[in-house]
């Protein structure tokens, strides 16, 4: 367990919150208070200041997420209460999918509870709400951040500036696991040791103890899920 990152086993799996603090300014438009890892907070504040100087508001869409929150997302998708999206961000008809197909379809866009990098508090989904047209609902799909999208200018700025503050984008490419997520930033000094500490044994044990939909199917495929989705992120360079 990486002592210098404050990440106990509970913190790594989102079941403790001793490693996170409140982000100072509530974001628009939800006014929800986000929590961030204590060590990532100063670096993110610096990145926000730099963004402001370049003409962007670096708003937080999501930062720390608890195990319970991730479990709710997972179970709602599995039960059909939330849409499961395909590779092109279009809703799938989950009624015709097998349990195994459903698990792997959900994993494209939503991580297993206990294995989400958002548990660590050093992962931040960002946007610039001021760049969106009035009334537009952010969907967090790559098209919004790609050339021609409302957030393309922000994305280009992120390309050139996040490394200076210690951040990188683990999902900048589709590597055959989690879909491309250009909005997802990761603070390396915490994320690198956290990733090492998230072992297959820890994730397996966490799922075994969870009240999660599709548990038997998940556990039957846990090694593939671990390799293809949990560990399969872009290199940090
Ligand atoms: Zn994210």
């Amino acid at each position: 367990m990486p002592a210098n990152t404050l990440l106990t086993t509970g913190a790594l799996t989102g079941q403790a919150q001793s490693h996170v603090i409140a982000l100072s300014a509530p974001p628009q438009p939800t006014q929800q208070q986000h929590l961030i890892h204590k060590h990532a907070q100063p670096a993110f504040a610096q990145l926000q200041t730099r963004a402001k100087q370049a003409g962007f508001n670096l708003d937080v869409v999501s930062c720390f997420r608890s195990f319970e929150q991730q479990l709710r997302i997972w179970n709602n998708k599995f039960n059909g209460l939330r849409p499961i999206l395909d590779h092109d961000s279009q809703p799938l008809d989950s009624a015709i999918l097998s349990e195994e197909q459903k698990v792997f379809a959900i994993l494209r866009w939503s991580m297993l509870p206990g294995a989400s990098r958002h548990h660590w508090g050093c992962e931040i989904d960002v946007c610039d709400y001021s760049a969106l047209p009035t009334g537009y609902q952010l969907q967090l799909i790559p098209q919004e951040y790609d050339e021609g999208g409302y957030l393309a200018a922000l994305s280009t700025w992120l390309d050139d500036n996040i490394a200076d503050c210690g951040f990188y984008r683990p999902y900048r490419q589709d590597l055959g696991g989690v879909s491309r997520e250009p909005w997802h930033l990761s603070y390396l000094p915490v994320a690198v040791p956290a990733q090492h500490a998230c072992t297959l044994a820890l994730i397996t044990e966490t799922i075994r103890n969870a009240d999660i939909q599709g548990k038997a199917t998940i556990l039957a495929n846990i090694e593939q899920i671990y390799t293809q989705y949990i560990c399969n992120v872009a290199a940090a360079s």
Side-chain angles (χ1 to χ4, degrees), residues 65 118 124-125 171 181 183-184:
R65 218 177 289 145
H118 280 281
I124 310 155
D125 295 338
Y171 304 124
E181 296 189 356
W183 52 84
H184 183 116

Coordinates of all heavy atoms in Angstrom, one line a residue, residues 65 118 124-125 171 181 183-184, ligand 1:
R65 N -15.3 9.6 -6.6 CA -16.5 8.9 -6.6 C -16.4 7.7 -5.6 O -15.4 7.0 -5.7 CB -16.8 8.4 -8.0 CG -18.3 8.5 -8.4 CD -18.5 8.0 -9.8 NE -17.9 9.0 -10.8 CZ -17.4 8.6 -12.0 NH1 -17.3 7.3 -12.3 NH2 -16.9 9.5 -12.8
H118 N -11.6 6.9 -10.3 CA -12.2 8.0 -9.6 C -12.2 7.8 -8.1 O -12.4 8.7 -7.3 CB -13.6 8.3 -10.1 CG -13.6 9.1 -11.4 ND1 -13.4 10.4 -11.4 CD2 -13.7 8.6 -12.7 CE1 -13.4 10.8 -12.7 NE2 -13.6 9.8 -13.5
I124 N -9.9 13.5 -12.5 CA -10.9 14.6 -12.7 C -11.4 14.6 -14.1 O -10.6 14.7 -15.0 CB -10.2 15.9 -12.3 CG1 -9.5 15.8 -11.0 CG2 -11.2 17.0 -12.3 CD1 -8.3 16.8 -10.8
D125 N -12.7 14.6 -14.2 CA -13.4 14.8 -15.5 C -13.6 16.3 -15.6 O -14.3 16.8 -14.8 CB -14.7 14.0 -15.6 CG -14.5 12.5 -15.6 OD1 -13.4 12.0 -15.9 OD2 -15.5 11.8 -15.2
Y171 N -7.0 7.7 -20.7 CA -7.9 7.2 -21.7 C -7.9 8.1 -23.0 O -8.9 8.3 -23.6 CB -9.3 7.1 -21.1 CG -9.4 6.3 -19.8 CD1 -10.0 6.9 -18.7 CD2 -9.0 5.0 -19.8 CE1 -10.1 6.2 -17.5 CE2 -9.1 4.3 -18.6 CZ -9.6 4.9 -17.5 OH -9.7 4.1 -16.3
E181 N -11.7 8.8 -23.5 CA -12.3 9.8 -22.6 C -11.4 11.0 -22.5 O -10.6 11.1 -21.6 CB -12.5 9.2 -21.2 CG -13.5 8.0 -21.1 CD -13.9 7.6 -19.7 OE1 -13.3 8.2 -18.7 OE2 -14.8 6.8 -19.6
W183 N -11.8 13.8 -21.6 CA -12.1 14.7 -20.5 C -11.5 14.2 -19.2 O -11.5 14.9 -18.2 CB -13.6 14.8 -20.3 CG -14.3 13.4 -20.2 CD1 -14.4 12.7 -19.1 CD2 -14.9 12.7 -21.3 NE1 -15.0 11.5 -19.4 CE2 -15.3 11.4 -20.7 CE3 -15.1 12.9 -22.6 CZ2 -15.9 10.5 -21.5 CZ3 -15.7 11.9 -23.4 CH2 -16.1 10.7 -22.8
H184 N -10.9 13.1 -19.2 CA -10.5 12.4 -17.9 C -9.0 12.7 -17.7 O -8.1 12.3 -18.4 CB -10.7 10.9 -18.0 CG -10.4 10.2 -16.7 ND1 -11.3 9.5 -16.0 CD2 -9.2 10.0 -16.1 CE1 -10.7 9.0 -14.9 NE2 -9.4 9.3 -15.0
Ligands
LIG1 ZN1 -13.4 10.0 -15.6

